Amino acid sequence: MKIFNTLTNKKEDFIPLLPNEVKIYACGVTVYDHSHIGHARSAVFFDVVRRYLQFKGFTVTYVRNFTDIDDKIINRARQEHVSWDTIARQYTEEYYKDMGLLGVAKADIEPKATDHMKEMIDIVASLIEKGYAYEVNGNVYFAINTFSEYGKLSKRDIEEMTAGARVDVDERKQNPMDFALWKQSKEGEPSWESPWGPGRPGWHIECTAMSIKHLGMSFDIHGGGADLIFPHHENEIAQSEAFTGKPFAKYWIHNGFITIDKEKMSKSLGNFFTVKEVLDKFDPEAVRFFLLSTHYRSPIEFSDAPLRDAERSIDRYYTTVLRINDFISQKAKGGKRLSNAGETLQEFTLSFRKKFVEAMDDDFNTALAIGHMFELIRAANAFLDTKPSSMEDRALLLETKELIQETGDILNILNKTPDAWYRSLIKIKMIDFSEKEILEGIENRQHARQNKDWDTADRIRKELEEKGIILEDKKDRTDWKIKV
């Protein structure tokens, strides 16, 4: 198994610090607003990382934090005339709702910054004592020139950064690139007592304190979006390794941006879509599928078109499941040799699990893994087109369905029933008919057909079709699906 390590800028064999045990820390959100689809990409990807490592037999401890004190939270609270912690609680709950819909499981440990003030203050005090930090009028800064490896993650040169940095508003800094570990609180702002007076932590020290407390001084994987490489993760490495004297995280993993018109999606640019906005138009499974259909390190261009493509791909899978279920429900005939299409499908089933694992072992290549899943689905449909009938055929198609469900569980996609998929589309596509009304229409049409009232039967079919509901007549029943 190989992982691309941002620290070394290459793929490396994945060898955890302890055999069969993996410790992961992923930077979570600052809870001052609804999550956007860029946040969802990171959450979905690290959810899959945990799921896949568990599938591989590792015992995983996954920590994802909440930044629940920050300038943005304070400013939002002022705008809404509520307390800062009310804002933090509100958007923490909104995050859980959004990610729950996208199939993102809660982390094993989900620490909040405000629950770790003692740990942060202790680390800051130690950094001052060791000569890595200094205090100026209630503010504490990390002196980057005291850490010789500063820039090793982002591959930036300290001298160039310092020369290019504008003169900081606080000219008391020894170097304009020095960053805040502790900030003196302004009047009316939340504050905590410290040896340097009332204040609150800088952003970077929060993750150092929480990761060390819950995972130890050194752990396996640290990750987040590519926008966190500098300054957040660079600063985390500096302060953490200065504090402990040990390597911080062994592997650094960063997912790529979501872009709109080739420009990074971000709240500061105002070109973002919240998860809620996207889920108003598309099923959560389609959104998750869309996010996993591109390799995690590559940018994803966001628009409605690829989300519709994701819907159509998912629909193709559930249509295939219906076809397989129909065949399995029929009475099997005597054994006979597989057709050419059957032999092709058999070859796919024999090699499928190995191909899926190889794709995921190669730096979590979910795009390639999903590609293998749909190769298998295409082969199954080609086989079904030959009208198979034997017990051997039945066993082969059942194995095909089970293989896709097994790997779908790892990615947490393609694991509904077809009925559940189409029920979800009734809401998303804003179909005027409820499931009950659809079934009543089918029943009325059946009565009309039995009475040879073909005009009424055709009218009912047409009415449903105009609403986006497609009827499929089978030998003993009529199925329905939503047009995508």
Side-chain angles (χ1 to χ4, degrees):
M1 186 174 177
K2 291 185 179 294
I3 292 178
F4 185 88
N5 190 351
T6 308
L7 187 63
T8 58
N9 205 31
K10 64 182 181 182
K11 283 184 192 176
E12 297 179 1
D13 290 332
F14 179 62
I15 304 168
L17 296 171
L18 297 173
N20 304 316
E21 187 176 339
V22 180
K23 295 180 179 181
I24 305 172
Y25 185 93
C27 287
V29 292
T30 301
V31 281
Y32 73 99
D33 202 348
H34 294 289
S35 298
H36 61 61
I37 200 71
H39 297 137
R41 184 182 194 188
S42 187
V44 167
F45 169 64
F46 283 100
D47 182 65
V48 168
V49 169
R50 174 168 70 168
R51 287 172 180 274
Y52 186 66
L53 290 171
Q54 288 172 332
F55 165 78
K56 293 281 286 186
F58 291 104
T59 299
V60 179
T61 303
Y62 176 37
V63 179
R64 184 183 63 217
N65 75 294
F66 288 101
T67 294
D68 62 342
I69 184 64
D70 182 86
D71 288 341
K72 294 172 183 175
I73 295 171
I74 294 168
N75 293 337
R76 186 65 178 258
R78 283 180 182 145
Q79 289 168 13
E80 299 193 10
H81 306 291
V82 296
S83 65
W84 64 271
D85 51 338
T86 297
I87 292 294
R89 282 194 303 271
Q90 176 185 343
Y91 288 108
T92 299
E93 288 307 310
E94 292 296 331
Y95 178 86
Y96 280 132
K97 288 177 192 173
D98 291 343
M99 298 308 146
L101 289 170
L102 291 174
V104 176
K106 287 188 175 184
D108 299 303
I109 304 167
E110 297 189 324
K112 295 177 180 177
T114 54
D115 291 335
H116 296 74
M117 287 298 167
K118 181 183 183 304
E119 289 83 0
M120 287 185 257
I121 290 168
D122 288 348
I123 292 170
V124 173
S126 176
L127 289 170
I128 293 173
E129 185 181 340
K130 292 177 178 180
Y132 290 102
Y134 57 94
E135 184 255 342
V136 181
N137 296 337
N139 299 286
V140 181
Y141 300 103
F142 186 93
I144 63 166
N145 61 0
T146 63
F147 187 73
S148 61
E149 293 184 290
Y150 191 81
K152 66 179 177 180
L153 181 70
S154 60
K155 313 298 181 285
R156 299 187 182 205
D157 181 86
I158 291 183
E159 290 184 10
E160 287 180 8
M161 284 191 288
T162 303
R166 65 180 177 80
V167 177
D168 198 275
V169 174
D170 186 353
E171 294 182 356
R172 292 166 297 185
K173 283 186 182 181
Q174 295 172 2
N175 181 318
M177 293 298 297
D178 291 350
F179 58 89
L181 298 171
W182 188 262
K183 298 191 284 188
Q184 184 181 47
S185 289
K186 298 170 186 172
E187 189 175 346
E189 288 185 345
S191 64
W192 286 260
E193 286 301 322
S194 79
W196 318 286
R200 55 191 172 90
W203 175 32
H204 316 300
I205 198 68
E206 296 175 355
C207 286
T208 288
M210 289 185 278
S211 58
I212 288 175
K213 178 174 181 179
H214 298 289
L215 295 176
M217 292 183 179
S218 300
F219 53 93
D220 300 293
I221 295 172
H222 196 318
D227 55 326
L228 298 180
I229 295 172
F230 187 88
H232 184 49
H233 287 164
E234 191 71 71
N235 292 349
E236 269 193 76
I237 289 175
Q239 65 200 13
S240 301
E241 296 188 357
F243 170 61
T244 65
K246 298 178 180 180
F248 187 36
K250 187 174 181 182
Y251 303 92
W252 288 82
I253 304 179
H254 295 93
N255 61 273
F257 298 126
I258 290 187
T259 59
I260 296 178
D261 296 328
K262 310 298 182 187
E263 194 169 34
K264 178 200 163 191
M265 180 188 290
S266 73
K267 288 186 175 174
S268 59
L269 293 173
N271 64 341
F272 68 94
F273 292 92
T274 66
V275 173
K276 289 189 187 311
E277 288 171 331
V278 177
L279 294 183
D280 281 342
K281 295 172 66 177
F282 295 96
D283 182 83
E285 185 173 10
V287 177
R288 187 176 176 105
F289 187 99
F290 159 74
L291 293 172
L292 295 176
S293 296
T294 299
H295 190 279
Y296 79 90
R297 285 192 285 117
S298 300
I300 300 179
E301 178 69 13
F302 180 86
S303 70
D304 283 2
L307 280 160
R308 288 194 202 98
D309 289 341
E311 270 188 344
R312 284 190 282 269
S313 294
I314 294 169
D315 189 69
R316 198 153 55 242
Y317 165 70
Y318 287 117
T319 300
T320 306
V321 171
L322 283 173
R323 293 187 75 191
I324 292 172
N325 290 346
D326 276 348
F327 169 65
I328 291 170
S329 68
Q330 296 168 12
K331 187 175 180 181
K333 298 176 184 176
K336 67 175 184 180
R337 289 186 62 194
L338 288 170
S339 63
N340 288 340
E343 289 177 355
T344 300
L345 178 58
Q346 190 172 57
E347 288 171 10
F348 272 110
T349 59
L350 291 171
S351 62
F352 171 71
R353 190 181 278 109
K354 180 172 182 285
K355 286 180 177 178
F356 180 90
V357 168
E358 283 177 350
M360 292 297 289
D361 275 355
D362 185 14
D363 194 29
F364 304 106
N365 194 338
T366 56
L368 182 56
I370 288 171
H372 291 319
M373 293 169 79
F374 276 84
E375 285 176 351
L376 189 58
I377 289 165
R378 281 191 291 274
N381 277 302
F383 181 42
L384 285 160
D385 289 342
T386 67
K387 297 188 172 21
S389 60
S390 71
M391 291 292 290
E392 187 177 1
D393 297 339
R394 180 195 298 262
L396 179 57
L397 284 163
L398 191 59
E399 181 185 5
T400 299
K401 189 171 100 167
E402 289 171 350
L403 280 170
I404 295 170
Q405 287 172 340
E406 175 193 333
T407 48
D409 283 343
I410 296 168
L411 302 180
N412 204 14
I413 55 172
L414 309 182
N415 50 15
K416 291 190 179 94
T417 64
D419 283 351
W421 166 247
Y422 292 118
R423 277 198 297 271
S424 71
L425 288 183
I426 290 175
K427 180 182 177 184
I428 293 296
K429 301 295 181 185
M430 292 184 284
I431 304 295
D432 286 346
F433 289 171
S434 66
E435 183 184 8
K436 182 182 177 185
E437 288 170 321
I438 294 169
L439 295 175
E440 285 174 354
I442 291 171
E443 188 177 351
N444 292 337
R445 179 171 172 269
Q446 286 295 97
H447 286 314
R449 295 177 77 196
Q450 288 165 5
N451 295 328
K452 296 186 168 42
D453 182 358
W454 309 118
D455 288 343
T456 300
D458 288 345
R459 178 179 54 78
I460 292 171
R461 173 189 278 276
K462 190 174 181 183
E463 283 176 0
L464 290 169
E465 198 168 307
E466 286 172 353
K467 300 292 185 182
I469 301 151
I470 308 299
L471 301 185
E472 293 182 352
D473 292 321
K474 304 292 174 66
K475 185 183 290 187
D476 57 346
R477 70 185 190 280
T478 298
D479 288 339
W480 63 274
K481 59 186 289 189
I482 304 297
K483 185 177 180 181
V484 295

